[in-house]
């Protein structure tokens, strides 16, 4: 039997400072997430300068806590993995420098992980990923539809051509007077609402791309116009109508992919996959095409280091290690990352 592999993973791409120890790309041995959400909420969104300062303040405590919770000592882990892209540059740098220092001091290989791949691999925590699978990544930074053919071969079918779906949830929430992060607040309000507001049709085409900026502008303009006219805005109904329209669009493209590719597996990933209505609608469309639907536990949907430890495991097995010249990148073309790092 081959030896178990333990990876210490670090995630600091946005406003969560997180570390985890993950066994064999699947078992979360220890996880610590320190969120800065409350601090950023005061400003209505993530303030990059504040985020990097807070990562610097928190990261050593997060490491201490992660190790305290773990039966595995840092000397016994097999590699150090870190999110190096995409995200807020100043935030990513804190994690990258910490990872390099640990790698140097403890003489462990360094693994560079793309954040989006982390979200996808969160699906390997409670269930084994089954290939081929379709994967919809819906986060604050991304809206991507992919085919995962196997561990070494993936293909992007489509992406958003403008705003990500999470970003639009956050912007709409803000115009409705809700605090950051907006997604969970829209979801809460929508629970009391009905579909009474007409929403515009989004990308009315047969591509796998998404466009959410039209929907966002429509809701923002509607709120402003109603305010100017002194008309009452039914916040719960508007939240519901918006949420349903955004989800309809995601479901429409997933349905197209299920139909055209005949793939019988779908995984959902990223912060927006915490949304219950989205989960229910994806389950329904999968049932219609007799496909299996998987979504991570809510804890692993939003940013965390456990998912980074999972995504690092195939790279560890393929011995794809980073050098000390590793740098953070705010943007990264996911298809290019796949070509350079995943495919052999
Ligand atoms: O994956 P994530 O934690 O960070 C990024 O990588 O961007 O995703 C954060 C996004 C935010 O836009 C947040 O509003 C959204 O996920 N989100 C939700 C829900 N929970 C988080 N959107 C809709 N419904 C939710 N329940
Ligand atoms: Zn994320």
């Amino acid at each position: 039997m081959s030896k178990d592999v333990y990876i210490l993973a670090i995630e600091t791409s946005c406003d969560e400072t997180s570390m985890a120890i993950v066994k064999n790309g699947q078992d979360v041995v220890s996880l610590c997430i320190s969120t800065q959400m409350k601090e950023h909420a005061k400003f209505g969104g993530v303030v990059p300068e504040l985020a990097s300062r807070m990562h610097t303040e928190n990261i050593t405590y997060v490491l201490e806590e992660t190790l305290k919770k773990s039966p595995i000592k840092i000397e016994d882990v097999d590699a150090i993995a870190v999110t190096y892209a995409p995200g807020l540059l100043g935030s990513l740098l804190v994690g990258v420098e910490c990872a390099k220092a640990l790698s140097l001091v403890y003489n462990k290989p360094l693994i560079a992980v793309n954040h989006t791949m982390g979200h996808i691999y969160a699906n390997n925590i409670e269930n084994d990923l089954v290939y081929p699978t379709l994967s919809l990544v819906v986060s604050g930074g991304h809206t991507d539809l992919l085919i995962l053919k196997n561990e070494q071969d993936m293909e992007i079918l489509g992406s958003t051509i403008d705003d990500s779906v999470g970003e639009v949830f956050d912007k709409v929430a803000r115009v409705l007077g809700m605090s950051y992060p907006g997604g969970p607040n829209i979801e809460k309000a929508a629970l009391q609402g009905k579909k009474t507001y007409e929403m515009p049709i989004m990308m009315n085409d047969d591509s796998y791309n998404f466009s959410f900026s039209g929907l966002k502008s429509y809701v923002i303009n509607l709120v402003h116009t109603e305010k100017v006219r002194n008309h009452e805005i039914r916040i719960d109904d508007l939240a519901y109508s918006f949420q349903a329209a955004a989800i309809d669009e995601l479901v429409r493209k997933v349905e197209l992919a299920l139909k055209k590719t005949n793939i019988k597996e779908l995984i959902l990933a990223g912060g927006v996959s915490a949304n219950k209505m989205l989960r229910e609608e994806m389950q329904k469309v999968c049932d219609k095409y007799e496909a299996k639907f998987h979504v991570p536990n809510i804890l692993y949907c939003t940013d965390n280091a456990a998912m980074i430890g999972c995504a690092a495991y195939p790279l560890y097995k393929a011995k794809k290690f980073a050098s000390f010249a590793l740098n953070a990148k705010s943007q990264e073309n996911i298809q290019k990352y796949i070509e350079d790092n995943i495919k052999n």
Side-chain angles (χ1 to χ4, degrees), residues 11 13 115 119 139-140 270-271 301-303 307:
E11 156 63 41
S13 68
H115 183 79
H119 277 302
S139 72
C301 284
T302 46
D303 292 350
M307 67 186 197

Side-chain angles (χ1 to χ4, degrees), residues 26 121-128 295-298 300:
Q26 202 157 37
Y121 274 89
N123 280 284
N124 207 32
I125 296 177
E126 276 143 344
N127 298 293
D128 291 340
V295 62
N297 182 309
I298 302 263
Y300 303 120

Side-chain angles (χ1 to χ4, degrees), residues 15-247:
D15 58 346
E16 264 90 31
T17 319
S18 179
M19 288 204 202
I21 294 179
V22 179
K23 180 176 139 190
N24 300 334
Q26 202 157 37
D27 298 332
V28 184
V29 173
S30 167
L31 170 64
C32 178
I33 306 172
S34 164
T35 179
Q36 311 169 358
M37 218 177 266
K38 272 196 186 146
E39 292 304 314
H40 296 290
K42 293 177 197 159
F43 303 96
V46 179
V47 182
E49 162 88 14
L50 180 63
S52 34
R53 282 173 176 276
M54 291 188 72
H55 284 306
T56 304
E57 283 170 17
N58 294 341
I59 198 155
T60 320
Y61 296 112
V62 170
L63 173 63
E64 202 176 20
E65 192 62 27
T66 307
L67 293 173
K68 215 186 278 175
K69 285 188 197 167
S70 166
I72 304 296
K73 290 203 219 98
I74 192 161
E75 290 83 358
D76 299 327
V77 304
D78 297 280
I80 310 288
V82 63
T83 307
Y84 79 104
L88 300 171
L89 200 59
S91 292
L92 289 163
L93 282 169
V94 178
V96 168
E97 286 312 303
C98 176
K100 282 193 211 175
L102 293 175
S103 160
L104 179 67
V105 171
Y106 293 99
N107 194 24
K108 307 287 178 191
L110 181 66
I111 303 176
V113 178
N114 172 286
H115 183 79
T116 307
M117 295 309 297
H119 277 302
I120 292 171
Y121 274 89
N123 280 284
N124 207 32
I125 296 177
E126 276 143 344
N127 298 293
D128 291 340
L129 275 174
V130 177
Y131 298 99
T133 179
L134 291 167
S135 171
L136 178 69
V137 183
V138 280
S139 72
H142 290 269
T143 311
D144 299 306
L145 186 56
L146 304 90
I147 298 182
L148 277 58
K149 296 176 186 168
N150 55 54
E151 251 183 27
Q152 268 83 40
D153 197 2
M154 305 178 186
E155 181 192 333
I156 301 272
L157 291 177
S159 297
T160 179
I161 57 163
D162 41 55
D163 296 350
S164 73
V165 65
E167 201 178 338
V168 172
F169 265 86
D170 293 338
K171 297 263 167 65
V172 166
R174 194 168 176 169
V175 78
L176 293 179
M178 298 168 184
S179 63
Y180 172 84
N185 292 321
I186 294 271
E187 175 168 39
K188 210 158 127 201
L191 286 175
Q192 317 297 325
K194 291 190 293 295
K195 197 172 182 169
T196 56
Y197 286 93
E198 280 295 317
M199 291 288 133
I201 293 181
M202 282 156 273
M203 300 275 287
N204 196 9
D205 67 357
D206 270 359
S207 81
Y208 292 114
N209 289 329
F210 302 90
S211 169
F212 289 105
S213 72
L215 176 65
K216 174 189 75 180
S217 306
Y218 180 84
V219 178
I220 293 174
N221 290 338
L222 183 116
V223 171
H224 288 158
T225 316
E226 293 297 79
K227 275 187 183 160
V228 169
R229 290 182 182 154
N230 254 336
H231 288 171
E232 184 211 354
I233 298 159
R234 299 180 313 278
I235 290 181
D236 296 349
D237 288 349
L238 189 49
Y240 186 101
S241 306
F242 156 75
Q243 177 176 273
I247 291 173

